[in-house]
Amino acid sequence: QIDPAAREGRGLARAPGTDPAAHGSDAPARPDGATPGPIDALRDRVEAGDLEVVASSYGPASLGPLVRARLGDEARRQLDAARQVQHAVLGATDATSMVTGEIDGPLVVHLDRRGLRRVVVDSKSVSSSSRFTPARPFTLTDGRERRAALLAATADRDLESLLADGHVPTGVRAAQLVAGGTVTALEQPALERGIGVVVPTGVAPDGAQLVRAIEDALQSHPLLSPVRLEELFDKVPQQTDRGKPVTKSPQATPAPELTEEPGDLRSARARVSSLRTLAGPESDLVRRAERSLLLAESGDPDHPTRRYLDGALGVVRQAVAKVEGPPQQTVTLIGRRANVPV
């Protein structure tokens, strides 16, 4: 995940709130001889294989509410826009893994159709009858119909909560996480297992510092070792029951909804699409409007979705106001009855 501090890098977006319609960026242009910025450093680490890039939405959108609201095309646009930025900024190839958080059956189907193969889901999204912490990958289907299947691992919400309190010193939070992970490892010390922990977004701006503190605490740990997401799936054996791979489906959980009404988002998309037809897909105005609309598709009540939605519509109005028709003309018809297309 890109460090929030990297947003200040050259050629990237301005800070949220400075211009609702200008959030987002194409590849940063670095002139020869320029001092590498934070994004350049991230790109170098991705190219060297030190960092793994996973699929994500373009904005802070939860894809599940979009799919449930029959806005699957918007969920697709979220994934496609994020992939384009990852290509342009980080030089990353198409990712087939994603950290989804809460998930339901329709989202499993959507991600499968979009080429995703492996997901890390919230531990509360799937049921577990074991007395041990779920710590092995399993097959996740959409439910009884089983129209789609993904290889899944769980992110431990209890361990994640140990990182959320920004008032606790970074080193203490890292130590608490390692202690919690040790307890999980001791449940079945003879088995190779793996757990996922998602660093909460609310811990920024010290998120990167927290990750480094966790990595340092794990360097010489006798039971725990940090691995990349792909290694978690490739090296940790899949969960089995009586010798057969375990298959699970999402359990019903209270799901967040979109902050904006789906009808308002559909109406805005229709207007942005009209602008795209009028100005062409490469127009800067079209790009600004589309980025702003994607950022309005969030279920986070603290995210300024209305500001971004108004920003997208404002760009459309600004463009339409500049359209001028031909001057009024007089057309003289011959003396006969006819239908004239206008």
Side-chain angles (χ1 to χ4, degrees), residues 87-132:
H87 286 178
V89 177
L90 299 177
T93 57
D94 287 351
T96 57
S97 301
M98 184 176 186
V99 180
T100 66
E102 293 185 350
I103 195 168
D104 56 14
L107 183 56
V108 171
V109 174
H110 182 84
L111 296 180
D112 179 74
R113 292 177 177 174
R114 296 300 302 163
L116 275 295
R117 293 294 173 259
R118 302 181 293 192
V119 293
V120 176
V121 303
D122 192 300
S123 58
K124 306 300 182 183
S125 292
V126 291
S127 60
S128 175
S129 58
S130 173
R131 61 190 179 93
F132 299 116

Side-chain angles (χ1 to χ4, degrees), residues 270-327:
R271 299 190 66 179
V272 171
S273 296
S274 297
L275 176 62
R276 184 185 181 91
T277 302
L278 177 67
E282 301 302 321
S283 168
D284 287 340
L285 288 175
V286 172
R287 290 179 178 176
R288 288 177 59 196
E290 289 185 337
R291 290 170 183 161
S292 191
L293 179 54
L294 290 175
L295 290 168
E297 297 170 347
S298 172
D300 183 355
D302 296 326
H303 185 66
T305 54
R306 174 55 57 173
R307 192 146 52 98
Y308 283 116
L309 184 61
D310 291 343
L313 297 175
V315 172
V316 175
R317 288 192 295 267
Q318 175 187 353
V320 172
K322 296 180 179 179
V323 176
E324 296 182 1

Side-chain angles (χ1 to χ4, degrees), residues 105-271:
L107 183 56
V108 171
V109 174
H110 182 84
L111 296 180
D112 179 74
R113 292 177 177 174
R114 296 300 302 163
L116 275 295
R117 293 294 173 259
R118 302 181 293 192
V119 293
V120 176
V121 303
D122 192 300
S123 58
K124 306 300 182 183
S125 292
V126 291
S127 60
S128 175
S129 58
S130 173
R131 61 190 179 93
F132 299 116
T133 302
R136 281 191 163 179
F138 55 91
T139 299
L140 179 68
T141 69
D142 59 307
R144 293 182 179 179
E145 297 183 10
R146 297 197 175 186
R147 295 172 294 169
L150 303 169
L151 187 60
T154 55
D156 195 306
R157 184 183 291 186
D158 294 331
L159 290 179
E160 178 183 328
S161 66
L162 299 175
L163 305 176
D165 190 351
H167 299 291
V168 177
T170 299
V172 174
R173 282 181 285 162
Q176 290 175 335
L177 175 67
V178 172
T182 302
V183 172
T184 300
L186 290 173
E187 292 176 350
Q188 296 175 293
L191 299 181
E192 188 171 17
R193 306 164 74 212
I195 53 176
V197 178
V198 179
V199 178
T201 55
V203 303
D206 74 333
Q209 181 183 354
L210 179 58
V211 171
R212 286 192 295 269
I214 296 171
E215 291 175 341
D216 292 341
L218 292 173
Q219 287 300 320
S220 57
H221 198 284
L223 296 176
L224 304 176
S225 60
V227 296
R228 295 171 55 176
L229 187 58
E230 62 180 17
E231 294 175 309
L232 172 63
F233 286 107
D234 293 341
K235 293 183 177 181
V236 178
Q238 188 169 346
Q239 184 179 352
T240 59
D241 182 18
R242 298 177 183 178
K244 297 182 179 180
V246 169
T247 297
K248 301 181 181 182
S249 57
Q251 64 180 357
T253 56
E257 299 301 330
L258 296 170
T259 303
E260 301 299 329
E261 290 293 330
D264 292 343
L265 294 175
R266 291 191 185 93
S267 176
R269 173 57 64 185
R271 299 190 66 179

